[in-house]
Amino acid sequence: MAFKIQSHNLLLPLALLFLGLLAFQASSRTLQEASMEERHEQWMVRYGRVYKDPEEKEKRFKIFKQNVEYIEGFNSAGTKPYKLGINQFADLSNEEFTASRNRFKGHMCSSISRTTSFKYANVTDVPSSVDWRNQGAVTPVKNQGQCGCCWAFSAIAATEGITKLSTGKLISLSEQELVDCDTGVDQGCEGGLMDDAFKFIIKNKGITSEANYPYKGVDGTCSANEEANHVATIDGYEDVPANSEQALQKAVANQPVSVAIDASGSDFQFYSSGIFTGSCGTELDHGVTAVGYGVSDDTEYWLVKNSWGTEWGEEGYIRMQRNVKAQEGLCGIAMQASYPTA
């Protein structure tokens, strides 16, 4: 009987201990949730995000929480030479993000004839590293916002580069002119191609400045007065031979080059620093500009200027692994590169 009494006496504290553990776990989850909600509130303040109603805020919080957990899990694993960060896109699902910003119309390229001339074909001596920012041939990083005109920013950056190299003047040129006035094949915020942008500048006998025709981030009506004030011209454009990082290096060694990439992955959305080696396909959906290349810790990379503002990546830039096994290059960077000539 005594033994039974002792067993009975032990059950109560064990039960209390178990209930206390459950309460602690529930409390911990609540604290974690509260902490995440606080982080979301701080993030909203930092990026000026305001939601239309509580339902929208709850939806965005859930996406924010999932993204933060993915980012922190990736970074803590430490298995890659790059890091992710909680940037201005943290409350967007990957599908929402790519739909609003990645509008390079790569699927249209198969029906468009590419140029066969490549003036850098016989270049044999290229430097081990290039950074056109150091030569004053790259304007500050811009932000396309929610307008899917990455193609215009890519073409303009390449045109700004060749203009500096040929005239000695670095002028910020107008993406909005392309969005509003280049309405043949290109479709403004709905997407376009860098080659078609170059064709427009050639046919138009030039393009105006950012100051004269500022960026609005929405489709607009072409302003004939602003558009007529040309400050830069190009004579033509050439396509880099496809699927050759060696050919692309020859071109980038001589000027900034428009390139198309597959930027659809979550790692690209939240890239923060380091040399990007993430998994990506070759469904080209984003236009950017290769403004250099180099080597860091024995890893070769492309220096790429993006148009998502300076809060993304390395102050608006990404270093992408160069000379990979796939002939298309990482994320298809060597598939459809082109540059203007002057």
Side-chain angles (χ1 to χ4, degrees):
M1 180 66 70
F3 176 76
K4 290 182 180 180
I5 292 173
Q6 288 176 343
S7 298
H8 177 73
N9 290 341
L10 284 173
L11 287 175
L12 183 59
L14 285 173
L16 291 173
L17 181 64
F18 180 70
L19 289 172
L21 181 61
L22 288 178
F24 174 76
Q25 290 176 336
S27 175
S28 296
R29 282 195 296 271
T30 303
L31 288 171
Q32 288 172 356
E33 197 75 10
S35 176
M36 188 66 76
E37 287 179 351
E38 185 178 354
R39 292 173 73 178
H40 185 223
E41 293 286 349
Q42 293 171 349
W43 177 89
M44 288 172 60
V45 170
R46 175 173 179 176
Y47 292 106
R49 192 77 86 249
V50 178
Y51 302 119
K52 62 181 180 180
D53 53 40
E55 289 75 20
E56 176 70 12
K57 184 177 181 180
E58 179 63 22
K59 175 186 175 182
R60 292 297 152 197
F61 169 70
K62 288 180 179 178
I63 296 173
F64 176 85
K65 182 173 182 289
Q66 291 172 347
N67 285 334
V68 169
E69 288 172 349
Y70 173 75
I71 291 165
E72 294 184 341
F74 175 93
N75 289 340
S76 63
T79 58
K80 301 285 187 179
Y82 63 96
K83 296 291 185 182
L84 306 182
I86 304 169
N87 58 26
Q88 67 267 45
F89 308 128
D91 71 340
L92 297 176
S93 69
N94 185 247
E95 292 75 19
E96 291 172 322
F97 172 75
T98 55
S100 65
R101 285 167 178 80
N102 298 1
R103 292 294 182 89
F104 173 78
K105 292 191 175 292
H107 63 278
M108 293 166 45
C109 293
S110 59
S111 60
I112 297 174
S113 59
R114 290 172 61 81
T115 64
T116 55
S117 57
F118 179 52
K119 67 178 184 177
Y120 301 123
N122 296 323
V123 170
T124 56
D125 186 20
V126 295
S128 59
S129 65
V130 168
D131 186 341
W132 286 111
R133 297 176 299 183
N134 296 335
Q135 308 303 317
V138 183
T139 58
V141 168
K142 304 179 185 183
N143 193 341
Q144 71 186 74
Q146 296 187 40
C147 172
C149 60
C150 55
W151 58 275
F153 281 83
S154 172
I156 285 295
T159 303
E160 290 169 344
I162 195 63
T163 299
K164 164 64 177 179
L165 296 176
S166 59
T167 69
K169 298 177 182 178
L170 180 64
I171 306 170
S172 183
L173 302 176
S174 175
E175 292 85 8
Q176 193 67 43
E177 180 180 346
L178 291 178
V179 171
D180 292 353
C181 307
D182 178 15
T183 54
V185 177
D186 294 326
Q187 300 170 346
C189 293
E190 298 307 305
L193 298 168
M194 286 79 85
D195 282 10
D196 285 313
F198 296 144
K199 290 176 185 176
F200 170 83
I201 297 171
I202 296 163
K203 183 178 180 181
N204 197 47
K205 295 181 170 56
I207 191 159
T208 195
S209 66
E210 187 94 50
N212 187 52
Y213 203 145
Y215 185 64
K216 296 182 174 64
V218 294
D219 292 320
T221 303
C222 184
S223 172
N225 290 336
E226 294 172 340
E227 185 256 0
N229 183 19
H230 305 148
V231 298
T233 61
I234 59 175
D235 295 336
Y237 76 93
E238 292 182 346
D239 293 311
V240 178
N243 301 326
S244 170
E245 289 197 88
Q246 289 70 36
L248 182 57
Q249 183 181 5
K250 291 180 180 182
V252 178
N254 286 277
Q255 66 182 97
V257 174
S258 288
V259 293
I261 58 175
D262 181 339
S264 60
S266 293
D267 284 12
F268 212 96
Q269 179 177 346
F270 298 117
Y271 167 80
S272 175
S273 63
I275 299 179
F276 183 79
T277 60
S279 59
C280 48
T282 56
E283 296 293 321
L284 306 178
D285 63 1
H286 189 46
V288 288
T289 316
V291 297
Y293 58 83
V295 183
S296 178
D297 295 329
D298 297 324
T299 301
E300 298 174 297
Y301 66 84
W302 295 108
L303 176 63
V304 176
K305 182 186 185 186
N306 202 355
S307 52
W308 294 344
T310 56
E311 292 277 335
W312 179 87
E314 296 182 327
E315 297 185 341
Y317 291 85
I318 181 171
R319 287 179 292 160
M320 299 176 63
Q321 188 177 11
R322 177 167 59 95
N323 289 334
V324 298
K325 290 181 179 179
Q327 63 176 356
E328 301 90 353
L330 188 66
C331 306
I333 194 170
M335 292 175 67
Q336 293 176 14
S338 59
Y339 53 87
T341 58

